[in-house]
Structure formats: structure tokens, C-alpha cells
Amino acid sequence: MSETKVAVVVATNGEDRLCLLLDRCLKSVANQTRLADLVVVVSDNEPSVSGDDDFLHAAVKNCFARDEQSKVRLIHNTRTRHMSGTGAWNSGILYSLGELGENCFVAILDDDDEWLETHIEENLKAAAAQENCQWVVSGILRLSPSSPAGGSPENILKSEPSANLFYATNPGIQGSNLFVRMRALLSAGLFDEALPSTTDRDLCIRLCDVLSGTRCNWFASTGVHTVRHYADTGRERVSRKGSPSKRIGLQRFFYKYCSRMNADERRAFIKRAIDTFGCTENDFDVSRTDGNKHRDPRSFTTLSADVLPLNRSTTLPRLHGSDDVITRRVIFGVITSNIDRVGGVLDDLSHIPGSFVMIFANGDDSLADAIKVGLRLRGISGSYVLNKQSQA
């Protein structure tokens, strides 16, 4: 049997992180005892026309030995930008799929973290001990101004997790210790690009959903700490207390999974969000999401917390656009408040003949105009319902 391939994916954004990317993150990837088969660095910024991309590409490659540089790629995020790296990670994962196929492992590393030199080796060793391993976890050393030299070791998951383990808190999995088989990531749907934070827990829940009940031995633990996570207080971080991105991410995560949580899990989630991140109880009052405290519980809510209110007093407006909806063989429904969020979906649907796209839009006339343009440019037959009562 051929050796299992490993793709390393790093998302980066901003000149202030360049030194950390080159001197800490990529240096640790280059120093692995078992080298990666592919290293994909994904820029979350717009492509440069000033030559900066050429400089960055050269700097990234120069982190590696000359005979390893052919395995290193610098690409740009082709999906959702500036959403906590989710679009960039997905771009890198899908690029890796094209290079190494669905049987490879994908190892994520944040651009300000680093691995100990045996990280990839330890993960592959743990995976090899399980016949059908799809997901490996190693331990995290947390470094902060108050931590001891070498970092504070966090708990390591030792046994197969279940989804509810991630509802109220994170049991020790972050981007930098994600080591997952490509086919499992694809089955789980990759990272949710509508979440500005809490992205790792969200992916872990969906991994548990698709892997639980499959053949046994899908999870393995290295039992050792091979990731250094830097929780610097001197830099702007999504996870800091009071961060708007953290609050919105937690809010959307709660809307997405609260129906699966029991009462104790919901209380624990809300308490931690308030105590640790400065949220309020109102942030998690689902009835307030559309400005209407009397919203009917039958209202539609998307996974990213966009809402189509269906109050008993609400009359849906007449459909705009084409009248041929009843002649279509397949009708796709999408709820959104931002046309950019669904651009990738519309691109995919444009290749499905005979499809009709119905968009339930929370916004104003400018959103309606953007939808019409988006459908027309892609040659998609579709319509929309514009709901001005809720602008999520």
C-alpha cells in the first residue's frame, strides 16, 4: 500500500502577520521529521498588481529547503474573504484535493501558531494504528503572558468524540491541531463560510455527524502535545472578550445548533459566552433575530442564522421574476441577506440544466437588484421573495 499523503493548509491575512507566518508557522512546517507532501499557503487578500504577490511567493518558498520548494504553493482565496479564514481554508483544501486526492490527510495550521517537529509524524503514527482512521487529534500547548515557559498543556481528547461534546465549549480542538482525512472533510461540508468565529467547533460537530455510526476506529489520539498555540494579548484577536466577530459567530453557532442542545447545554453555552466573551443573554434570544418578539416558531432559519419570518400576520409577497417555476424539474431554495454568501452556490447551480432557484431575501431593494444581476449574469432561471421586515 502506498504511503498516506499529507497536505498542509495555512491561511494568512495581513502584513502584520507576515513575520509570524514566515518565521514561526512555516519554519515549523519545514522542520518536520516527516515532511508534508504538499504545502498550500492561501492569501485571504485580493491578488496584488504591484508585485507584492511575487515577493510573498518567493518568501514563502524560501522557508523550505530547495529540494522541497516544488511542493509549496501560494494561492489566493477564491471563496468568501475575511470570514475568519474559512473561505481561505476551503480554497486550500479543494486545491489539495486536486493535487493529492480524497485519501490524503489535511493538516491545518494557523499562521501565528507552530508545530513541534514531530507533529505530522505523530499524527500519521496514530492514524496507522487504526484501520479506518479519518481524524486524529494531538494536544495543544497554550502560550500566553501568564503561561509557564513552554506553554500550558490543554486536555487531549483520548476517545471518539460525539457532537454534543462541542455544544457548550471546545474540548481542545482548534485549527492548528485539525488532522482529518480529505474524504471526511468533504462529507462534512468543509468550513462554514458564514461563521466569523467558532468555526472549529462547528466543523467538529459535522465531522461527528458524518463519522458516527460508520465503521469503527475512525478517531485516533496521539496522546502527546505537538501544537504551540499563541494566545497573545498584544494583538487584535477574534477570540478576545468583546470582539464583534466572536459575538456574531457565537450567535450564529447557537442559532444553528440550539435545537439540538438540551436545556443544560444551552445554559452552559450562554453562560460561557457571557463570562468569557462579553456577550449578553439577548444575543441568544432567537425571537429577537428579526426584530419581532412574536415570530412564529415555524419560520425558516438557515444554518447561518438568516431568517425568513412566517408570522401568522405575514403575507408573503408575490414572486418576482419568471412565471415558469412550475415547469421546472428541480427547485432550489436559498435564504440570504448577502448575495456574496451565495455566489458559490449560484455558480454551481448554473451548471444544472432545468433548475430553478428561489431566493428568500432579507434586505432592501439594493439586495433585490444584486440578486437579479447575479441570476442574469449566471444565466440562471430564478425568482426571489424580498422581505424588508428582517435584515439579518
Side-chain angles (χ1 to χ4, degrees), residues 11 36 42 67 85 107 155 162 174 267 270 316 332 347 376:
V42 190
D67 58 350
N155 291 333
S162 58
Q174 298 182 13
R267 282 194 292 268
I270 294 173
L316 292 178
F332 296 92
D347 289 340
R376 184 174 65 252

Side-chain angles (χ1 to χ4, degrees), residues 37-38 61 65-73 99:
D37 300 282
L38 179 69
K61 287 213 166 191
R66 186 174 298 275
D67 58 350
E68 291 294 315
Q69 291 182 1
S70 62
K71 303 176 183 178
V72 182
R73 311 283 191 274
E99 293 277 318

Side-chain angles (χ1 to χ4, degrees), residues 124-373:
L124 285 177
K125 185 193 305 183
Q130 306 280 14
E131 182 179 357
N132 188 46
C133 185
Q134 303 292 308
W135 182 5
V136 186
V137 166
S138 57
I140 294 174
L141 296 165
R142 179 182 173 85
L143 288 96
S144 68
S146 60
S147 64
S152 302
E154 297 190 350
N155 291 333
I156 307 177
L157 274 176
K158 297 294 181 63
S159 58
E160 185 177 294
S162 58
N164 63 355
L165 194 62
F166 298 90
Y167 290 162
T169 187
N170 190 325
I173 299 180
Q174 298 182 13
S176 295
N177 68 336
L178 277 172
F179 196 92
V180 186
R181 188 85 68 173
M182 175 70 78
R183 70 168 64 95
L185 285 171
L186 296 174
S187 297
L190 307 183
F191 287 94
D192 185 342
E193 297 179 22
L195 289 177
S197 65
T198 324
T199 55
D200 307 320
R201 283 163 60 189
D202 168 75
L203 178 59
C204 289
I205 289 173
R206 288 181 283 115
L207 284 169
C208 290
D209 287 345
V210 300
L211 294 173
S212 297
T214 62
R215 291 173 294 172
C216 61
N217 301 328
W218 53 265
F219 178 84
S221 175
T222 66
V224 293
H225 295 81
T226 58
V227 177
R228 288 196 180 108
H229 168 63
Y230 289 82
D232 302 339
T233 56
R235 293 186 294 113
E236 186 71 14
R237 300 180 63 85
V238 170
S239 58
R240 69 173 174 80
K241 190 169 186 177
S243 163
S245 294
K246 188 64 178 180
R247 179 185 63 80
I248 295 171
L250 286 167
Q251 189 179 51
R252 290 179 179 173
F253 179 94
F254 184 75
Y255 295 158
K256 187 171 181 177
Y257 294 111
C258 65
S259 62
R260 296 173 52 168
M261 300 178 188
N262 61 35
D264 289 339
E265 290 164 342
R266 287 193 292 272
R267 282 194 292 268
F269 175 95
I270 294 173
K271 184 178 188 306
R272 180 172 180 267
I274 293 172
D275 294 346
T276 306
F277 301 109
C279 298
T280 68
E281 288 193 11
N282 285 343
D283 290 328
F284 308 106
D285 181 356
V286 179
S287 67
R288 295 174 60 92
T289 59
D290 60 358
N292 189 332
K293 295 185 178 181
H294 306 291
R295 183 166 62 85
D296 192 290
R298 295 172 298 175
S299 298
F300 297 133
T301 305
T302 67
L303 295 184
S304 58
D306 279 323
V307 177
L308 175 67
L310 289 182
N311 296 310
R312 291 181 177 86
S313 59
T314 298
T315 302
L316 292 178
R318 184 181 182 279
L319 302 182
H320 299 269
S322 176
D323 292 326
D324 64 348
V325 60
I326 60 173
T327 68
R328 295 289 164 171
R329 299 175 65 88
V330 182
I331 301 174
F332 296 92
V334 181
I335 307 173
T336 189
S337 58
N338 185 338
I339 191 63
D340 293 333
R341 281 194 201 166
V342 296
V345 174
L346 295 180
D347 289 340
D348 292 341
L349 294 180
S350 67
H351 299 291
I352 302 177
S355 63
F356 185 94
V357 180
M358 174 58 61
I359 299 179
F360 299 97
N362 290 320
D364 55 20
D365 291 334
S366 63
L367 177 59
D369 293 339
I371 290 171
K372 288 185 283 189
V373 171

